[in-house]
Every structure is written in structure tokens, then in C-alpha cells.
Amino acid sequence: MNVPANDPDAGAFVAQTTEYLPIGLLSQIAASLDVSETRTGTLVTGYAWIAAITAIPFTLATQRIPRRTLFLGLLGIISLTNGMAALTPTFPLLIMLRLITALTHGVFWSIIAAYAVRLYPDIPASRATAWVLGGISLALVAGVPAATAVGHWMGWRVSFSAYATLGGAALWLGYRFLPVSRDISASTFVCGLPRGPASLYVTVLVTVLAVTTHFVGYTYVVPILTKTVHLPENRHAIILMVFGVAGVVATWLAGWLALRPFILALIATFGVVASQATLLLTGTTGWVWLAMPLWGASVAILIVGLQSWVIEMAPNQPDAASSLYVAAFNFGIGSGALVGGIILSQNGSAAVLMAGFSLGVIALLSFLILWQIQR
């Protein structure tokens, strides 16, 4: 796959990893700022819901701003707030900085796929989109494990500082190499709620269910590994790296498999459900080395499948379809983190896995119902 050197994927990786940063550092942040793990989970929940609420209106409000200017401005805010978060002395201030960052998230992911396609008209649109979407997948499957490893070795503040630095580097590269001559604003194409088939909105609901299934467990993966699987803390970063490597490989495979997005998303959801069920039913460190790679590969494929599926239903309105997808995806993240946090505080980590499994079964049934609708 030949990708232009000035592809915005590096910025996409930093932007998306920022949303997930607290996940692998949950226990460290909680201990450092003297709050509970459940309350620390609001750093993910609040972020996701702000992104979900603002994705569509902010995309509409910024449609006349040149894409290059908007991309660099949003990346600059993300990098700055990550750096400030690394220095924050209190939990309320950390929440405030996270919410400021979240205001950039919805519009960032609503514009970036269409921006990449318009930046590079000489390569297939699917290829340009796949590389940008790869930033989402890599953030989830590689960015979080890397942040967790750095956090365990040097502290959670160093992790935030590292991604602030990476964001600054991506900002400089974008300023230096992203072409101005091809820059366009969204005012040259339709931006509004997609006027696609009714099944598009059913697809969005299925997206919420599938993403919630994943994040119920994944937001609290550290407590699960510690209390349910009984994996020693010094192996957490390693298992999350294994999770990440499996996801990277799966992301590459998803880009080349000649499968419909619907089929990709269905298979991936089944994989997420199966991996959580394995951790729940076995509860041993031996099976975790099978379950976690399966989970990582499945969620990577799920991300590619879901976004491609939504855009496929509204091909003439890519920004609008993406904003709808971003809202649904982040609503799923917030819902998963909230449900998982409540269950963790009241019933423990094993119950969190049970909730994820139950929601996953509902998501799979929803896939089958939608398949019948579309036939």
C-alpha cells in the first residue's frame, strides 16, 4: 500500500489515543489524585459523551473553515491540553482539560476521512479512508498499550506528556507538508444529516450496541486483569501489547479482505463477545493469552467494518455520515464506561464481563434483525 508521506494518519493516531489514554492508566490516576477507579472512569465517559453531543453541530458550524486549517487547529488544542493534563495537581482540573479536548473530537473525526480522500484524489478513496481509519484502530490496539507501558514504567503523567509531544510533532509535520493548494472547505459539498435509507439509522443503533459491548469491559480492563484473571501487574503492559499487535495485524487484514462491511462488523462483534466470555468463564492467566489477542483483533476489525458500513449507506455525504457515526461511536464509549463503572463498583470485575457478554448477545441479535430488514 503506497501512502503519501504527508498523510494525516499520525495526527489521527494521536487524537484518538488521547480519548483512550486513561483506560490503561486508571489505577495510577486514581491513586495519584486520591479518587476511586469508578470515578476515574468518568475521564472516558465524559469525554465520549461530549464528543457524541458535539459531533454533528460542530461539523456543521465549521463547514466553511478550510480543512487544513481546521485539522491543524484541532490537533494543536489536543496536544496543548495533553501537556497541561500531565501537570494538573487535582482531579477536577484534569476533568476540565479532558472536556476541553473532547470538544475537538467529534468534528475532528467527522472531517478527517473526507479530507484524506480530497487531499489525494489520485489514489483510491477506499485506500485513503482505510489509512485514516487505521489511526483509530491503532490508537485502540497500540496507543493504549504503549501508554500503559510508559505509565507503569515512568508514571501516568509521562504518558500524557509523551502524547503531547507526539501531537506537537504531528502538528509540525502537518504544517510543513500538508499541501495548501489542494485544501478545500466543506462548503463545497453537502453537510447535514444524511438523507440515506431508514436502515442507516438502524445501523447507527447497532453501532452503539456493538461499541458499548466492547467498552463495558475494555474501559476497566486493568481491574479485570487484576481481580478476575489474577494477572500480575508487571504483565499488564505486555498483555495489552499482545492485544495491540493482534489488532494491528487485523487492521491490515480488514483492509484487504473482500468482505462487505456488514459481514466484517458481524464477525468482529462475535469475536468481542467470545473473548469476554472466555475471560469470564476461565478466570485464569493461561486463557488470557488467547482471549486478549482475539479481543484486540476483533475490535480492530469492528472499527473498520462499522465506519465503512455507515459511509457505504450515504456515499454522497461522507462528512455527514461520519459525524453520525462519530456521535454513535462515542455514545457507545460513554455508555459502556458508565455501565461498566457502575457494575464494577457494586458487583466487581467479573460482573463487568458478564454485562459485556449480555450486551454483545443483544448486539448480535440486532445484526441479524438488520440483515433481515436489508434483504
Side-chain angles (χ1 to χ4, degrees):
M1 229 185 245
N2 296 321
V3 181
N6 47 1
D7 184 80
D9 196 47
F13 171 76
V14 172
Q16 190 62 36
T17 302
T18 294
E19 178 172 18
Y20 304 143
L21 265 178
I23 290 177
L25 306 170
L26 208 66
S27 299
Q28 292 189 28
I29 295 173
S32 172
L33 300 179
D34 195 26
V35 293
S36 67
E37 289 182 346
T38 300
R39 190 180 177 196
T40 307
T42 60
L43 294 174
V44 178
T45 305
Y47 190 110
W49 281 348
I50 291 295
I53 292 169
T54 59
I56 294 173
F58 278 27
T59 300
L60 291 169
T62 58
Q63 61 182 313
R64 295 188 180 277
I65 300 176
R67 303 293 92 174
R68 179 179 185 273
T69 301
L70 185 57
F71 173 81
L72 294 177
L74 294 172
L75 187 56
I77 294 172
I78 292 167
S79 303
L80 179 62
T81 51
N82 275 342
M84 294 175 68
L87 302 174
T88 183
T90 65
F91 188 72
L93 183 55
L94 181 58
I95 286 181
M96 185 187 72
L97 289 168
R98 291 283 295 174
L99 294 182
I100 291 173
T101 314
L103 293 174
T104 70
H105 189 89
V107 64
F108 187 96
W109 284 106
S110 296
I111 69 163
I112 194 168
Y115 178 42
V117 171
R118 287 164 175 79
L119 265 179
Y120 309 114
D122 298 330
I123 66 174
S126 59
R127 184 171 299 177
T129 302
W131 273 94
V132 174
L133 294 184
I136 304 179
S137 299
L138 289 174
L140 188 59
V141 302
V144 172
T148 303
V150 171
H152 276 294
W153 294 331
M154 291 178 280
W156 68 270
R157 296 181 188 277
V158 177
S159 291
F160 273 85
S161 297
Y163 281 94
T165 303
L166 285 175
L171 178 62
W172 181 84
L173 289 172
Y175 178 79
R176 179 69 177 81
F177 295 109
L178 282 178
V180 178
S181 58
R182 292 180 181 176
D183 193 22
I184 63 170
S185 71
S187 60
T188 59
F189 55 89
V190 179
C191 186
L193 286 175
R195 294 182 293 276
S199 57
L200 168 63
Y201 294 92
V202 180
T203 300
V204 169
L205 292 177
V206 174
T207 296
V208 171
L209 281 172
V211 175
T212 301
T213 296
H214 168 64
F215 277 96
V216 162
Y218 189 69
T219 304
Y220 304 97
V221 67
V222 171
I224 287 171
L225 291 175
T226 302
K227 300 171 184 176
T228 300
V229 182
H230 307 294
L231 188 71
E233 186 176 343
N234 61 2
R235 295 186 183 179
H236 287 183
I238 298 173
I239 194 63
L240 288 175
M241 281 293 183
V242 171
F243 179 102
V245 170
V248 170
V249 173
T251 300
W252 180 81
L253 288 175
W256 289 104
L257 289 175
L259 295 176
R260 290 179 54 201
F262 171 83
I263 300 299
L264 280 177
L266 175 61
I267 293 172
T269 301
F270 181 82
V272 171
V273 173
S275 59
Q276 293 194 41
T278 300
L279 291 174
L280 175 65
L281 296 175
T282 60
T284 61
T285 56
W287 282 96
V288 73
W289 299 100
L290 172 64
M292 290 299 287
L294 173 61
W295 195 349
S298 298
V299 74
I301 294 173
L302 180 66
I303 291 168
V304 175
L306 287 175
Q307 174 134 25
S308 300
W309 187 17
V310 170
I311 292 178
E312 182 183 77
M313 291 191 175
N316 296 323
Q317 295 176 275
D319 273 20
S322 290
S323 67
L324 197 61
Y325 168 80
V326 169
F329 195 96
N330 280 279
F331 185 80
I333 294 174
S335 300
L338 177 63
V339 170
I342 293 172
I343 293 174
L344 178 68
S345 64
Q346 296 182 354
N347 303 106
S349 57
V352 172
L353 287 172
M354 176 60 76
F357 172 79
S358 301
L359 283 169
V361 171
I362 296 173
L364 289 172
L365 291 174
S366 300
F367 271 104
L368 296 178
I369 293 171
L370 184 56
W371 179 64
Q372 290 294 328
I373 293 174
Q374 292 180 328
R375 289 182 65 181

